[in-house]
Amino acid sequence: MDFRVRAMRLALTAVAALPTLALAAQPVNGAANGPADPVLAPKPASAATLAAHQAVAAALPQEDGRDPAFAAQGFLASAGDPVIRDAAGKPVWNMAAYDWVSGPAPASVNPSLWREVGLLRKHGLYAVADGVWQVRGFDVSNMTVIRGATGWILVDPLTTKETAAAALALVNAQLGARPVSAVIYSHSHADHFGGVRGVIAEPDVAVGKVQVIAPAHFIEEAASENILAGSAMGRRAQYQFGGGLVPGAQGQMGSGIGLGVSSGTITLVAPTDSISKTGETRVVDGVAMEFQIVSGSEAPSELNVYLPGPKVLLSAEMSTCSLHNILTPRGAKVRDTRAWAGYLDEALRLYGPRSDAVISSHCWPRFGQAEVSRMLASQRDNYRVLHDQTLRLMNRGETPAEIAEALVQPASLAADWFNHGYYGTYSHNSKAVYQFYLGWYDAVPANLNPWPAAEHAKRLVSAIGGPAKVTAQARAAMKAGDYRWSSELLSAAVFADPANKAARALLADSYEQQGYQAESAIWRNQFLAAASELRNGRIASATSSQSQDMIAAVPTQLLLDSVATRIDPAKLAGRHTAINLVMPERGETAGVELTGTAMLARIGAAPGATATLTAPRRLLLGLLFLKMPLAQLEMAGLKVEGDRAAVEAWLAALDPMPGAFNIAEP
């Protein structure tokens, strides 16, 4: 899921004087800096926004009742208490957070998005087919439950162990208690594996009582997601997922394919079996399964599961109730749209005629062979049109902005609700397709070396005639309902002078109306998060902690490569040296070479090292990521041999772990 969780910020925080990886998750209210009291309230929808919503409503597909029926089909029960808590009693998930979403759409919510959230808010245990169920609404993702000969086979055990345990408790209460005999991870995003320790114990895996199946390269991809660029991705993810926004008609309205993300503990148990190619089969606890590898679509390591007995296709995140992201706004590597469409076509050919239901790890199922094939074909065409038409316009010389403005989803595809842009959009996805092939540069020389945002803003404001004239033009644009232009003008005014209170207030108002108008939940979140920060200061987010097994899964090479991104060459002052890091508990040695301008890390001892640090890896992480004092860690067992001054110079050249940074202002 483009890591809604995985995309979220990687940081290292001190817990009992030792580092723990943390991922930002469920948003919390408040401000990390800036004024926290009083909180400035949102504004109502404008007349222009009301008119935009009326136009949207008039163009929406006819409501034929299929989605509401599919979303409700097979409902058995839900938990008596909608709040899931951790061991300390802290709430990590609230299934009732969107119970108020019913009736006509309010003026501040796009009517199409309102309908989507009304369907996504349903929660509980649902029967899909003979021997197949899903638990939905207990997290941002779904957990699929398959009855094996001796126990439950679980596909995608949610994001955190607390929500996964609650989901399994509901299954056992409604269907009869059984052990878990196998877990299948569909892909390498944390909302599809993070809850695993809530449903199985690793000793049972070690002795063969429980299988853990995943696509090839799963563990590497799960461990590496967002480490190198984790701080930037995490901060941007606050905007994408509405960190600090309260669910409400003028606040957060889910993420387009789910609601929020649980804020419990993310865990990981390594797979015992991997699937590497389409067509591979397994008999898992007596249940025949066939797999389709779709790596490189929504995740770099991903599979789908076909169950020939009940004739069910689990299309994990290749197809859901929305157009997905080719490049997530929070940042990631660009996905291959052509390959994505190809996987959908392959699934249609291989499994469409044999499937009576298609389910996914988000959203609700579709039932009936004709419906399965129709969805796969329609979504295939949706991605193919997005790809091919972007390339067609690109090859005519149009730039990303021009393509995004010109590219319109065909009416025949827009007639299917599941093709709408509740998560990804044609606009930002077409830019991602362009980037996949041609990169960031649009070949216009003026864009080859432009002034950075703040300097550009100062010059633009001056050219227009000063802040007052910019503000006046922006007010006129807002009165005309042209919020795109007013936002551009006002953003320039704020970047030219962040203390310009009038520009900040108007920019917040302009962003807010665009958020209200957005069909995409994550576009809404970004606009409203920016409006909130302009009014009330930077938002803060809660964190989901990760267990030591998740930390252990991250390769040392990748961690040290991340450390290298924090080297300040000026502080190295031309120093050439090499330092060895010895981790006895892992039987691992890494060599760090300082070249005078860069840091190079390699697994294995560095020739000619002038110093050696010996310690458990967690102490070295505390030293390098938390910048804990060397003397303090020596008291905890870290040993320094050789040139201590070289070690201290290396540590001094490391920037601290990056914190939050401004987005809506310089």
mmCIF file with all atom_site columns, all heavy atoms in Angstrom, residues 152-168:
data_model
loop_
_atom_site.group_PDB
_atom_site.id
_atom_site.type_symbol
_atom_site.label_atom_id
_atom_site.label_alt_id
_atom_site.label_comp_id
_atom_site.label_asym_id
_atom_site.label_entity_id
_atom_site.label_seq_id
_atom_site.pdbx_PDB_ins_code
_atom_site.Cartn_x
_atom_site.Cartn_y
_atom_site.Cartn_z
_atom_site.occupancy
_atom_site.B_iso_or_equiv
_atom_site.pdbx_formal_charge
_atom_site.auth_seq_id
_atom_site.auth_comp_id
_atom_site.auth_asym_id
_atom_site.auth_atom_id
_atom_site.pdbx_PDB_model_num
ATOM 1   N N   . TRP A 1 152 ? -6.029  -22.336 10.911 1.00 0.00 ? 152 TRP A N   1
ATOM 2   C CA  . TRP A 1 152 ? -6.293  -21.190 10.042 1.00 0.00 ? 152 TRP A CA  1
ATOM 3   C C   . TRP A 1 152 ? -5.053  -20.837 9.225  1.00 0.00 ? 152 TRP A C   1
ATOM 4   O O   . TRP A 1 152 ? -3.939  -20.826 9.744  1.00 0.00 ? 152 TRP A O   1
ATOM 5   C CB  . TRP A 1 152 ? -6.681  -19.964 10.855 1.00 0.00 ? 152 TRP A CB  1
ATOM 6   C CG  . TRP A 1 152 ? -7.896  -20.088 11.718 1.00 0.00 ? 152 TRP A CG  1
ATOM 7   C CD1 . TRP A 1 152 ? -7.979  -19.870 13.066 1.00 0.00 ? 152 TRP A CD1 1
ATOM 8   C CD2 . TRP A 1 152 ? -9.220  -20.431 11.289 1.00 0.00 ? 152 TRP A CD2 1
ATOM 9   N NE1 . TRP A 1 152 ? -9.258  -20.064 13.505 1.00 0.00 ? 152 TRP A NE1 1
ATOM 10  C CE2 . TRP A 1 152 ? -10.049 -20.412 12.434 1.00 0.00 ? 152 TRP A CE2 1
ATOM 11  C CE3 . TRP A 1 152 ? -9.784  -20.774 10.061 1.00 0.00 ? 152 TRP A CE3 1
ATOM 12  C CZ2 . TRP A 1 152 ? -11.408 -20.716 12.380 1.00 0.00 ? 152 TRP A CZ2 1
ATOM 13  C CZ3 . TRP A 1 152 ? -11.130 -21.075 10.004 1.00 0.00 ? 152 TRP A CZ3 1
ATOM 14  C CH2 . TRP A 1 152 ? -11.930 -21.042 11.145 1.00 0.00 ? 152 TRP A CH2 1
ATOM 15  N N   . ILE A 1 153 ? -5.268  -20.540 7.953  1.00 0.00 ? 153 ILE A N   1
ATOM 16  C CA  . ILE A 1 153 ? -4.246  -19.956 7.088  1.00 0.00 ? 153 ILE A CA  1
ATOM 17  C C   . ILE A 1 153 ? -4.602  -18.481 6.953  1.00 0.00 ? 153 ILE A C   1
ATOM 18  O O   . ILE A 1 153 ? -5.706  -18.136 6.508  1.00 0.00 ? 153 ILE A O   1
ATOM 19  C CB  . ILE A 1 153 ? -4.227  -20.625 5.705  1.00 0.00 ? 153 ILE A CB  1
ATOM 20  C CG1 . ILE A 1 153 ? -4.017  -22.140 5.849  1.00 0.00 ? 153 ILE A CG1 1
ATOM 21  C CG2 . ILE A 1 153 ? -3.159  -20.000 4.819  1.00 0.00 ? 153 ILE A CG2 1
ATOM 22  C CD1 . ILE A 1 153 ? -4.350  -22.917 4.593  1.00 0.00 ? 153 ILE A CD1 1
ATOM 23  N N   . LEU A 1 154 ? -3.693  -17.599 7.358  1.00 0.00 ? 154 LEU A N   1
ATOM 24  C CA  . LEU A 1 154 ? -3.971  -16.165 7.371  1.00 0.00 ? 154 LEU A CA  1
ATOM 25  C C   . LEU A 1 154 ? -3.133  -15.466 6.303  1.00 0.00 ? 154 LEU A C   1
ATOM 26  O O   . LEU A 1 154 ? -1.916  -15.655 6.239  1.00 0.00 ? 154 LEU A O   1
ATOM 27  C CB  . LEU A 1 154 ? -3.646  -15.564 8.737  1.00 0.00 ? 154 LEU A CB  1
ATOM 28  C CG  . LEU A 1 154 ? -4.329  -16.222 9.949  1.00 0.00 ? 154 LEU A CG  1
ATOM 29  C CD1 . LEU A 1 154 ? -3.908  -15.517 11.236 1.00 0.00 ? 154 LEU A CD1 1
ATOM 30  C CD2 . LEU A 1 154 ? -5.846  -16.209 9.799  1.00 0.00 ? 154 LEU A CD2 1
ATOM 31  N N   . VAL A 1 155 ? -3.785  -14.686 5.475  1.00 0.00 ? 155 VAL A N   1
ATOM 32  C CA  . VAL A 1 155 ? -3.089  -13.900 4.462  1.00 0.00 ? 155 VAL A CA  1
ATOM 33  C C   . VAL A 1 155 ? -3.129  -12.437 4.893  1.00 0.00 ? 155 VAL A C   1
ATOM 34  O O   . VAL A 1 155 ? -4.200  -11.868 5.083  1.00 0.00 ? 155 VAL A O   1
ATOM 35  C CB  . VAL A 1 155 ? -3.732  -14.048 3.071  1.00 0.00 ? 155 VAL A CB  1
ATOM 36  C CG1 . VAL A 1 155 ? -2.903  -13.293 2.030  1.00 0.00 ? 155 VAL A CG1 1
ATOM 37  C CG2 . VAL A 1 155 ? -3.874  -15.511 2.692  1.00 0.00 ? 155 VAL A CG2 1
ATOM 38  N N   . ASP A 1 156 ? -1.958  -11.859 5.084  1.00 0.00 ? 156 ASP A N   1
ATOM 39  C CA  . ASP A 1 156 ? -1.771  -10.455 5.451  1.00 0.00 ? 156 ASP A CA  1
ATOM 40  C C   . ASP A 1 156 ? -2.327  -10.146 6.847  1.00 0.00 ? 156 ASP A C   1
ATOM 41  O O   . ASP A 1 156 ? -3.450  -9.650  6.988  1.00 0.00 ? 156 ASP A O   1
ATOM 42  C CB  . ASP A 1 156 ? -2.382  -9.524  4.404  1.00 0.00 ? 156 ASP A CB  1
ATOM 43  C CG  . ASP A 1 156 ? -1.604  -9.527  3.110  1.00 0.00 ? 156 ASP A CG  1
ATOM 44  O OD1 . ASP A 1 156 ? -0.511  -10.115 3.080  1.00 0.00 ? 156 ASP A OD1 1
ATOM 45  O OD2 . ASP A 1 156 ? -2.080  -8.949  2.116  1.00 0.00 ? 156 ASP A OD2 1
ATOM 46  N N   . PRO A 1 157 ? -1.520  -10.405 7.882  1.00 0.00 ? 157 PRO A N   1
ATOM 47  C CA  . PRO A 1 157 ? -1.972  -10.201 9.256  1.00 0.00 ? 157 PRO A CA  1
ATOM 48  C C   . PRO A 1 157 ? -1.902  -8.747  9.726  1.00 0.00 ? 157 PRO A C   1
ATOM 49  O O   . PRO A 1 157 ? -1.354  -8.446  10.786 1.00 0.00 ? 157 PRO A O   1
ATOM 50  C CB  . PRO A 1 157 ? -1.016  -11.097 10.052 1.00 0.00 ? 157 PRO A CB  1
ATOM 51  C CG  . PRO A 1 157 ? 0.241   -11.090 9.260  1.00 0.00 ? 157 PRO A CG  1
ATOM 52  C CD  . PRO A 1 157 ? -0.188  -11.042 7.822  1.00 0.00 ? 157 PRO A CD  1
ATOM 53  N N   . LEU A 1 158 ? -2.432  -7.831  8.932  1.00 0.00 ? 158 LEU A N   1
ATOM 54  C CA  . LEU A 1 158 ? -2.608  -6.432  9.300  1.00 0.00 ? 158 LEU A CA  1
ATOM 55  C C   . LEU A 1 158 ? -1.281  -5.735  9.608  1.00 0.00 ? 158 LEU A C   1
ATOM 56  O O   . LEU A 1 158 ? -0.211  -6.239  9.293  1.00 0.00 ? 158 LEU A O   1
ATOM 57  C CB  . LEU A 1 158 ? -3.609  -6.317  10.449 1.00 0.00 ? 158 LEU A CB  1
ATOM 58  C CG  . LEU A 1 158 ? -4.963  -7.037  10.203 1.00 0.00 ? 158 LEU A CG  1
ATOM 59  C CD1 . LEU A 1 158 ? -5.924  -6.779  11.343 1.00 0.00 ? 158 LEU A CD1 1
ATOM 60  C CD2 . LEU A 1 158 ? -5.577  -6.639  8.861  1.00 0.00 ? 158 LEU A CD2 1
ATOM 61  N N   . THR A 1 159 ? -1.376  -4.534  10.220 1.00 0.00 ? 159 THR A N   1
ATOM 62  C CA  . THR A 1 159 ? -0.195  -3.692  10.410 1.00 0.00 ? 159 THR A CA  1
ATOM 63  C C   . THR A 1 159 ? 0.496   -3.928  11.740 1.00 0.00 ? 159 THR A C   1
ATOM 64  O O   . THR A 1 159 ? 1.717   -3.883  11.826 1.00 0.00 ? 159 THR A O   1
ATOM 65  C CB  . THR A 1 159 ? -0.589  -2.197  10.326 1.00 0.00 ? 159 THR A CB  1
ATOM 66  O OG1 . THR A 1 159 ? -1.380  -1.971  9.160  1.00 0.00 ? 159 THR A OG1 1
ATOM 67  C CG2 . THR A 1 159 ? 0.631   -1.305  10.308 1.00 0.00 ? 159 THR A CG2 1
ATOM 68  N N   . THR A 1 160 ? -0.277  -4.141  12.792 1.00 0.00 ? 160 THR A N   1
ATOM 69  C CA  . THR A 1 160 ? 0.304   -4.238  14.126 1.00 0.00 ? 160 THR A CA  1
ATOM 70  C C   . THR A 1 160 ? -0.228  -5.472  14.840 1.00 0.00 ? 160 THR A C   1
ATOM 71  O O   . THR A 1 160 ? -1.316  -5.973  14.547 1.00 0.00 ? 160 THR A O   1
ATOM 72  C CB  . THR A 1 160 ? -0.011  -2.985  14.964 1.00 0.00 ? 160 THR A CB  1
ATOM 73  O OG1 . THR A 1 160 ? -1.424  -2.841  15.116 1.00 0.00 ? 160 THR A OG1 1
ATOM 74  C CG2 . THR A 1 160 ? 0.554   -1.733  14.304 1.00 0.00 ? 160 THR A CG2 1
ATOM 75  N N   . LYS A 1 161 ? 0.566   -5.939  15.801 1.00 0.00 ? 161 LYS A N   1
ATOM 76  C CA  . LYS A 1 161 ? 0.205   -7.190  16.473 1.00 0.00 ? 161 LYS A CA  1
ATOM 77  C C   . LYS A 1 161 ? -1.083  -7.047  17.279 1.00 0.00 ? 161 LYS A C   1
ATOM 78  O O   . LYS A 1 161 ? -1.816  -8.025  17.446 1.00 0.00 ? 161 LYS A O   1
ATOM 79  C CB  . LYS A 1 161 ? 1.340   -7.678  17.357 1.00 0.00 ? 161 LYS A CB  1
ATOM 80  C CG  . LYS A 1 161 ? 1.634   -6.853  18.590 1.00 0.00 ? 161 LYS A CG  1
ATOM 81  C CD  . LYS A 1 161 ? 2.749   -7.496  19.410 1.00 0.00 ? 161 LYS A CD  1
ATOM 82  C CE  . LYS A 1 161 ? 2.985   -6.759  20.716 1.00 0.00 ? 161 LYS A CE  1
ATOM 83  N NZ  . LYS A 1 161 ? 4.060   -7.391  21.516 1.00 0.00 ? 161 LYS A NZ  1
ATOM 84  N N   . GLU A 1 162 ? -1.399  -5.833  17.739 1.00 0.00 ? 162 GLU A N   1
ATOM 85  C CA  . GLU A 1 162 ? -2.612  -5.632  18.518 1.00 0.00 ? 162 GLU A CA  1
ATOM 86  C C   . GLU A 1 162 ? -3.867  -5.799  17.669 1.00 0.00 ? 162 GLU A C   1
ATOM 87  O O   . GLU A 1 162 ? -4.826  -6.470  18.070 1.00 0.00 ? 162 GLU A O   1
ATOM 88  C CB  . GLU A 1 162 ? -2.598  -4.243  19.169 1.00 0.00 ? 162 GLU A CB  1
ATOM 89  C CG  . GLU A 1 162 ? -1.531  -4.061  20.230 1.00 0.00 ? 162 GLU A CG  1
ATOM 90  C CD  . GLU A 1 162 ? -0.168  -3.668  19.673 1.00 0.00 ? 162 GLU A CD  1
ATOM 91  O OE1 . GLU A 1 162 ? -0.032  -3.557  18.434 1.00 0.00 ? 162 GLU A OE1 1
ATOM 92  O OE2 . GLU A 1 162 ? 0.752   -3.450  20.477 1.00 0.00 ? 162 GLU A OE2 1
ATOM 93  N N   . THR A 1 163 ? -3.876  -5.196  16.472 1.00 0.00 ? 163 THR A N   1
ATOM 94  C CA  . THR A 1 163 ? -5.056  -5.322  15.619 1.00 0.00 ? 163 THR A CA  1
ATOM 95  C C   . THR A 1 163 ? -5.169  -6.729  15.056 1.00 0.00 ? 163 THR A C   1
ATOM 96  O O   . THR A 1 163 ? -6.271  -7.262  14.921 1.00 0.00 ? 163 THR A O   1
ATOM 97  C CB  . THR A 1 163 ? -5.019  -4.295  14.474 1.00 0.00 ? 163 THR A CB  1
ATOM 98  O OG1 . THR A 1 163 ? -3.809  -4.426  13.733 1.00 0.00 ? 163 THR A OG1 1
ATOM 99  C CG2 . THR A 1 163 ? -5.126  -2.881  15.015 1.00 0.00 ? 163 THR A CG2 1
ATOM 100 N N   . ALA A 1 164 ? -4.029  -7.357  14.741 1.00 0.00 ? 164 ALA A N   1
ATOM 101 C CA  . ALA A 1 164 ? -4.063  -8.732  14.233 1.00 0.00 ? 164 ALA A CA  1
ATOM 102 C C   . ALA A 1 164 ? -4.609  -9.687  15.283 1.00 0.00 ? 164 ALA A C   1
ATOM 103 O O   . ALA A 1 164 ? -5.417  -10.576 14.975 1.00 0.00 ? 164 ALA A O   1
ATOM 104 C CB  . ALA A 1 164 ? -2.666  -9.159  13.794 1.00 0.00 ? 164 ALA A CB  1
ATOM 105 N N   . ALA A 1 165 ? -4.170  -9.522  16.540 1.00 0.00 ? 165 ALA A N   1
ATOM 106 C CA  . ALA A 1 165 ? -4.670  -10.385 17.613 1.00 0.00 ? 165 ALA A CA  1
ATOM 107 C C   . ALA A 1 165 ? -6.165  -10.201 17.805 1.00 0.00 ? 165 ALA A C   1
ATOM 108 O O   . ALA A 1 165 ? -6.908  -11.178 18.022 1.00 0.00 ? 165 ALA A O   1
ATOM 109 C CB  . ALA A 1 165 ? -3.919  -10.085 18.908 1.00 0.00 ? 165 ALA A CB  1
ATOM 110 N N   . ALA A 1 166 ? -6.646  -8.959  17.709 1.00 0.00 ? 166 ALA A N   1
ATOM 111 C CA  . ALA A 1 166 ? -8.080  -8.704  17.855 1.00 0.00 ? 166 ALA A CA  1
ATOM 112 C C   . ALA A 1 166 ? -8.863  -9.329  16.705 1.00 0.00 ? 166 ALA A C   1
ATOM 113 O O   . ALA A 1 166 ? -9.957  -9.877  16.906 1.00 0.00 ? 166 ALA A O   1
ATOM 114 C CB  . ALA A 1 166 ? -8.335  -7.200  17.918 1.00 0.00 ? 166 ALA A CB  1
ATOM 115 N N   . ALA A 1 167 ? -8.303  -9.266  15.498 1.00 0.00 ? 167 ALA A N   1
ATOM 116 C CA  . ALA A 1 167 ? -8.974  -9.868  14.340 1.00 0.00 ? 167 ALA A CA  1
ATOM 117 C C   . ALA A 1 167 ? -9.059  -11.381 14.500 1.00 0.00 ? 167 ALA A C   1
ATOM 118 O O   . ALA A 1 167 ? -10.105 -11.995 14.239 1.00 0.00 ? 167 ALA A O   1
ATOM 119 C CB  . ALA A 1 167 ? -8.232  -9.503  13.059 1.00 0.00 ? 167 ALA A CB  1
ATOM 120 N N   . LEU A 1 168 ? -7.966  -12.008 14.932 1.00 0.00 ? 168 LEU A N   1
ATOM 121 C CA  . LEU A 1 168 ? -7.974  -13.462 15.123 1.00 0.00 ? 168 LEU A CA  1
ATOM 122 C C   . LEU A 1 168 ? -8.922  -13.861 16.247 1.00 0.00 ? 168 LEU A C   1
ATOM 123 O O   . LEU A 1 168 ? -9.606  -14.896 16.159 1.00 0.00 ? 168 LEU A O   1
ATOM 124 C CB  . LEU A 1 168 ? -6.564  -13.957 15.412 1.00 0.00 ? 168 LEU A CB  1
ATOM 125 C CG  . LEU A 1 168 ? -6.414  -15.468 15.621 1.00 0.00 ? 168 LEU A CG  1
ATOM 126 C CD1 . LEU A 1 168 ? -6.881  -16.244 14.388 1.00 0.00 ? 168 LEU A CD1 1
ATOM 127 C CD2 . LEU A 1 168 ? -4.962  -15.829 15.944 1.00 0.00 ? 168 LEU A CD2 1
#
